[in-house]
Amino acid sequence: HIKPNMSDENVMVTGAEVYARALKIQGVEYVFGIVGVPIMEVAMAIQQVGLKFIGMRNEQSAAYAAGAIGYLTGRPGACLVVSGPGLIHALGGMANAMENCWPMIVLGGSSDEDQQAMGAFQEYPQVEACRLYSKFAARPTSITIIPEIIEKAVRTSIYGRPGACYVDIPGNFVNASVKLGDCRFRSECPPPPRSLADPTSISSAANLMLAAKRPLIIIGKGAAYARAEDEVRRFVEDHNLPFLPTPMGKGVIPDDHELCVSAARSRALLNCDVIVLLGARLNWQLHFGRQPRFNKDVKVIQVDICAEELHNNVQSTVALLGNIPNVIQQLIEHSKKTHRGVPWRLSKDSDWWKFLQEKIDSNAVSTKALAEDKSVPLNYYAVFDVLTKHLPKDCIIISEGANTMDISRTMILNYLPRHRLDAGTFGTMGVGLGFAVAASLYSLDIAKKTGMPPQKVVCIQGDSAFGFSGMELETVCRYNLPLVFVVVNNNGIYSGGNKDFWEAIKMSGDIAVQNSAPPTFLTPESKYEKLIEAFGGEGHSCVTADQLDESFKRCMSRSSEQASLINVMIDTTSARKEQEFTWLTRSKM
């Protein structure tokens, strides 16, 4: 326990101050939330101890932001919410953090201890509710024990597989006072211990790779979170191995690297004989590692920090339990020892590389044709072709919304790790603006610490995705965050209807006809750019490629703190180019 200075031991502090001090000691920097009864004073105490409190407009967005900042920094962000409904709204962000394996802490105000089971204001079984969405959930039994609970929550959120934790704030604790010396403060928990894989398994994995004819490295966001970029790049380049990043594994090695085979994804997955999984899970995003997307005889080398994930869905041939950078270093050292200091290399002239390169080249031709089609209304590929001309390589990209997200993943390259945030493992809609706020704060803070200009943050969303959290534009403008938003507007969910369709429905005057409109349709040609203008930001409306080019160039070149939003209309029927397999693998019942 940390003992306060002797001169401070008899100082009386409120429960709100104890929560705030404990968070600061544990290295929490960012707190997102919405104030109200009973946590108003907690938010003020958080600011008084020097933490950054960001007032959001919806608890879901606050929770999404806390999870995203945890991923970007490696230290949990916190989310402060009111009792009952406020906590319920935050559960979406907790679930998202758990599925993505991101550290975060939710602090929820709750009813007074002496009013339990009496029907108190917003009374709800919050600890019990949060257990399904967290690694750890607790209600302190006294103010003096709060620091120990906070330390355990922070430690649990980052140790092992990262995730969400919950700490309750009984309403009667907030303004009650105790002696500072009676509080059981603990020093900041150290970083998670780094573990190594079993040496015998390392040898087995190395031998399996050496025997492979068609090897493939799959880089997951676990490798990005683990800061494994240097080791992964060295491992891939030493052996001249083709690699495939998962959506948020993009940038661990730059997407334009000559060994990246994203453009031949289906062919690589279907025909590889040995896969090395680096912090990636064989879940729906990788089609469970099974047929028809994978060869039934494929052998898997799985590297993961979570023992429970090993052999999930597919029996791994070799399972390497440990911290990804350290395990890769073990593989590199083993290769040196067994090959006289010179690692073996897969020849670029091998049949495997020729087979993959053929598909990469053919896909490039078809994608280029779609990107060069600038006819009005625009298609997705044409929009992203314009945007890529003005995106700096160190830009952080947030992408959300079905085709908007999926097509941008193939069209917009990432060159640095942890520079793409999207719907993730949980496929969550509504994350866009929360993620954008977190990324912008992170970028600005890094700039202050390094003295370098802040990295640009661009949030690209479909119109449906934007609607989930669009009111957070007020948050963006209130904090003067220099974000650039692009709403790719097709009047609907997946696809919408044109203005003439809606005019005909209105003219009919028949309620039955109006109610028969497809549920995917949204209001046509909505002026989303006007929403940011209402809060003092800059809005642009674009229909042609030239208009988009001019507007996006202006927004990206500005150095002011004013946020901007570009609403670009596209063809309501625009979709992904025809693919060999559907994006979502389904079971045969």
Side-chain angles (χ1 to χ4, degrees):
H1 297 159
I2 294 178
K3 280 289 183 182
N5 294 331
M6 292 303 293
S7 60
D8 294 337
E9 280 198 345
N10 291 320
V11 171
M12 300 300 289
V13 292
T14 65
E17 292 176 274
V18 176
Y19 277 101
R21 289 187 184 217
L23 289 170
K24 185 173 180 64
I25 289 173
Q26 293 308 321
V28 174
E29 291 186 57
Y30 304 87
V31 183
F32 305 85
I34 299 177
V35 297
V37 176
I39 50 91
M40 186 87 70
E41 293 86 350
V42 179
M44 294 176 179
I46 282 168
Q47 290 182 319
Q48 288 170 354
V49 300
L51 301 185
K52 304 176 183 71
F53 180 82
I54 298 89
M56 307 288 283
R57 298 302 299 266
N58 183 283
E59 289 93 354
Q60 279 192 348
S61 291
Y64 293 142
I69 209 75
Y71 171 67
L72 293 169
T73 65
R75 206 74 185 178
C79 176
L80 179 65
V81 298
V82 298
S83 48
L87 185 276
I88 296 300
H89 292 167
L91 293 180
M94 293 178 69
N96 191 65
M98 285 295 291
E99 292 300 314
N100 279 335
C101 309
W102 291 353
M104 69 174 292
I105 308 294
V106 172
L107 302 162
S110 63
S111 52
D112 293 5
E113 285 186 306
D114 61 353
Q115 294 179 354
Q116 288 192 60
M118 294 177 63
F121 175 66
Q122 295 184 336
E123 183 178 2
Y124 195 75
Q126 297 180 184
V127 175
E128 293 83 350
C130 289
R131 287 202 173 105
L132 186 62
Y133 305 93
S134 63
K135 295 179 68 180
F136 169 75
R139 179 182 175 97
T141 54
S142 70
I143 294 175
T144 58
I145 203 175
I146 288 169
E148 286 192 321
I149 298 295
I150 293 291
E151 187 276 340
K152 184 168 184 178
V154 170
R155 175 163 40 87
T156 304
S157 77
I158 59 176
Y159 277 35
R161 173 182 277 177
C165 292
Y166 174 71
V167 178
D168 207 54
I169 305 176
N172 56 301
F173 280 16
V174 174
N175 291 311
S177 298
V178 297
K179 287 183 180 180
L180 184 60
D182 291 339
C183 296
R184 294 154 64 172
F185 285 95
R186 299 190 63 179
S187 57
E188 181 178 351
C189 69
R194 295 195 163 207
S195 56
L196 299 174
D198 170 52
T200 302
S201 297
I202 289 289
S203 179
S204 298
N207 291 336
L208 183 59
M209 287 182 60
L210 185 61
K213 301 297 183 184
R214 302 181 302 280
L216 178 66
I217 308 297
I218 298 180
I219 303 171
K221 69 173 175 292
Y225 179 82
R227 269 77 178 157
E229 49 265 24
D230 293 340
E231 291 83 359
V232 172
R233 183 164 187 165
R234 182 180 171 193
F235 179 66
V236 166
E237 291 181 344
D238 277 357
H239 301 299
N240 207 49
L241 297 169
F243 74 89
L244 179 68
T246 62
M248 275 190 275
K250 284 164 60 68
V252 171
I253 302 177
D255 285 342
D256 64 347
H257 196 286
E258 64 176 356
L259 301 179
C260 181
V261 294
S262 290
R265 184 181 189 273
S266 293
R267 177 171 289 194
L269 293 177
L270 181 59
N271 294 281
C272 62
D273 60 358
V274 173
I275 293 173
V276 182
L277 278 178
L278 300 177
R281 288 170 279 178
L282 292 175
N283 55 21
W284 68 274
Q285 289 184 311
L286 286 173
H287 320 290
F288 313 109
R290 299 179 179 179
Q291 293 179 289
R293 301 300 296 267
F294 286 78
N295 175 357
K296 66 181 178 64
D297 297 319
V298 67
K299 295 178 172 60
V300 177
I301 299 169
Q302 189 176 9
V303 184
D304 206 285
I305 199 171
C306 178
E308 290 82 357
E309 188 61 39
L310 301 176
H311 308 296
N312 194 35
N313 291 331
V314 171
Q315 183 78 29
S316 299
T317 310
V318 183
L320 301 176
L321 177 65
N323 191 54
I324 294 172
N326 300 87
V327 173
I328 295 174
Q329 190 60 41
Q330 285 180 277
L331 289 168
I332 291 172
E333 293 300 325
H334 185 280
S335 181
K336 280 184 179 179
K337 290 178 182 177
T338 55
H339 293 84
R340 299 178 183 178
V342 180
W344 61 270
R345 291 175 62 81
L346 178 68
S347 172
K348 258 291 192 174
D349 293 325
S350 66
D351 291 341
W352 179 227
W353 262 118
K354 290 178 180 177
F355 184 59
L356 293 174
Q357 193 62 52
E358 177 188 40
K359 188 63 173 178
I360 291 170
D361 294 341
S362 65
N363 275 340
V365 172
S366 58
T367 300
K368 184 179 180 181
L370 287 166
E372 290 181 346
D373 178 8
K374 299 300 194 296
S375 58
V376 178
L378 297 169
N379 67 66
Y380 285 104
Y381 295 87
V383 168
F384 299 139
D385 183 59
V386 172
L387 300 185
T388 54
K389 297 175 182 177
H390 306 293
L391 288 171
K393 287 193 172 184
D394 64 352
C395 186
I396 300 176
I397 304 294
I398 291 91
S399 185
E400 181 188 17
N403 288 335
T404 301
M405 179 180 66
D406 292 339
I407 298 172
S408 74
R409 185 174 69 242
T410 63
M411 293 289 295
I412 298 178
L413 305 186
N414 286 96
Y415 304 90
L416 295 171
R418 299 170 296 282
H419 277 58
R420 178 184 165 89
L421 298 167
D422 64 23
T425 307
F426 210 28
T428 310
M429 291 286 283
V431 296
L433 273 86
F435 282 6
V437 168
S440 186
L441 290 166
Y442 170 75
S443 173
L444 292 170
D445 276 359
I446 292 297
K448 289 178 183 177
K449 292 173 183 176
T450 62
M452 301 292 288
Q455 296 175 344
K456 294 286 187 181
V457 180
V458 177
C459 182
I460 305 169
Q461 300 173 279
D463 51 327
S464 171
F466 173 76
F468 279 78
S469 56
M471 196 62 187
E472 296 298 342
L473 287 180
E474 188 276 330
T475 307
V476 170
C477 293
R478 178 166 21 106
Y479 287 101
N480 297 318
L481 301 179
L483 282 157
V484 178
F485 296 91
V486 179
V487 177
V488 185
N489 190 348
N490 67 352
N491 295 346
I493 303 169
Y494 299 111
S495 63
N498 58 35
K499 198 169 184 178
D500 292 341
F501 172 87
W502 285 106
E503 289 298 327
I505 283 183
K506 289 179 181 179
M507 292 295 291
S508 72
D510 188 332
I511 296 297
V513 172
Q514 293 174 8
N515 289 340
S516 68
T520 60
F521 284 18
L522 299 175
T523 302
E525 301 179 21
S526 293
K527 304 297 182 183
Y528 296 113
E529 73 280 2
K530 299 297 183 183
L531 187 57
I532 199 168
E533 291 175 0
F535 304 123
E538 181 177 305
H540 297 260
S541 177
C542 301
V543 176
T544 69
D546 288 341
Q547 290 172 343
L548 177 60
D549 183 82
E550 181 181 349
S551 294
F552 192 63
K553 182 180 179 180
R554 170 183 166 82
C555 294
M556 293 299 292
S557 63
R558 297 179 62 192
S559 58
S560 71
E561 294 179 334
Q562 188 180 35
S564 55
L565 183 148
I566 299 170
N567 180 28
V568 55
M569 297 303 307
I570 67 166
D571 188 339
T572 58
T573 63
S574 180
R576 284 172 280 196
K577 64 184 177 67
E578 188 175 344
Q579 298 185 355
E580 186 176 351
F581 293 98
T582 58
W583 66 274
L584 183 62
T585 300
R586 294 193 178 278
S587 303
K588 294 181 178 180
M589 302 298 287

